[in-house]
Amino acid sequence: MKLLCITGGSAGLGAALVKLYQAQGWQVCEFSRSGQLAGHISVDLAAGNAASLVDRHFSQLASQEWKEVLLINNAGMLSPLAPVATLSDEAIATNLSVNFNAAIRIIAAFIRHFGDLPARKTVLQVSSGAAIRGYGSWSLYCASKAGLEHFIRALAVEQSTAAHPVVCINFDPGVMDTAMQAEIRSRTTEEFPDVGRFIARKEQGLLRQPADVAAAIARLVASEIQGGERYSVEEV
């Protein structure tokens, strides 16, 4: 049996991945606040106990035998989308809790519980072009994505000498037609100066469908991949 653990599988790319892997016969555990698909486990990643709840599930799952185990860290939030000077301490803390702190703690828990499993194991961090390019009003999102990419690279170095290594990679899904994109397009130029470019992408039909990106991820994970690398949907 093969196991997919995924965060943020309630909508968009995450939901597309859940459906795809379930259709392929994988057991899926999906961690989010509002998922409706089979395998959903209710977790608020902004809450202080989120990582410990996921950790307990990993502990139970790791006691079983698996042919392959995959963690896709997909959860993320863009808000607050606003200039730095307007950000409250609470909004900053919530964003970084979801986008950065919880992500690292969940990956660490995955390594602890599945690291010694003698099977194919992969951690795929869903990244963004924002990891390598700064966008005004996206400071927290950009910082989190950039930090996680470097975390994955460092983790890959550690795993390269492990007895049963976990292959850890970053993946840029490109610009998709999701609720996050709709949120971006709803902002004023005062909130997000580059909003016009994102509106134009939608009008020109340049947004990828989540199901197509999910299929690209599945192809990538099934191929020979190199730990620490940054892959893009355009390459798969």
Side-chain angles (χ1 to χ4, degrees), residues 44-190:
D44 181 356
L45 294 178
N49 66 340
S52 61
L53 289 173
V54 175
D55 182 272
R56 287 200 292 272
H57 283 284
F58 284 171
S59 178
Q60 296 169 1
L61 292 165
S63 65
Q64 304 175 45
E65 292 187 8
W66 302 101
K67 181 179 179 181
E68 182 172 353
V69 185
L70 167 63
L71 171 63
I72 298 180
N73 206 31
N74 171 68
M77 61 182 295
L78 188 58
S79 296
L81 199 163
V84 170
T86 69
L87 302 180
S88 68
D89 287 346
E90 181 181 3
I92 292 170
T94 299
N95 182 285
L96 294 180
S97 290
V98 173
N99 287 344
F100 193 67
N101 295 345
I104 289 178
R105 292 179 66 188
I106 288 170
I107 293 171
F110 182 86
I111 299 294
R112 283 196 301 271
H113 291 294
F114 294 100
D116 292 332
L117 183 70
R120 181 183 177 95
K121 305 182 296 290
T122 307
V123 170
L124 184 146
Q125 173 63 48
V126 176
S127 188
S128 166
I132 57 177
R133 176 181 175 181
Y135 291 92
S137 298
W138 289 27
S139 55
L140 300 178
Y141 188 77
C142 291
S144 296
K145 290 299 185 182
L148 284 173
E149 284 215 3
H150 209 43
F151 172 79
I152 289 293
R153 285 191 286 268
L155 179 56
V157 173
E158 290 182 11
Q159 287 296 307
S160 67
T161 59
H164 302 289
V166 179
V167 178
C168 305
I169 62 172
N170 292 297
F171 179 78
D172 181 357
V175 185
M176 295 176 288
D177 196 1
T178 63
M180 182 179 287
Q181 282 294 310
E183 177 187 359
I184 292 168
R185 294 193 302 272
S186 72
R187 299 310 175 103
T188 66
T189 54
E190 288 76 19

Side-chain angles (χ1 to χ4, degrees), residues 185 196 198-207:
R185 294 193 302 272
F198 285 77
I199 292 173
R201 281 179 175 174
K202 173 68 172 178
E203 293 174 345
Q204 294 167 15
L206 299 179
L207 304 184

Side-chain angles (χ1 to χ4, degrees), residues 6-12 14-15 18-19 22 28-44:
I6 179 169
T7 64
S10 60
V18 170
K19 293 175 183 177
Q22 286 179 336
V28 175
C29 290
E30 183 272 314
F31 300 96
S32 69
R33 288 182 302 172
S34 57
Q36 300 295 320
L37 300 172
H40 169 67
I41 298 167
S42 182
V43 175
D44 181 356

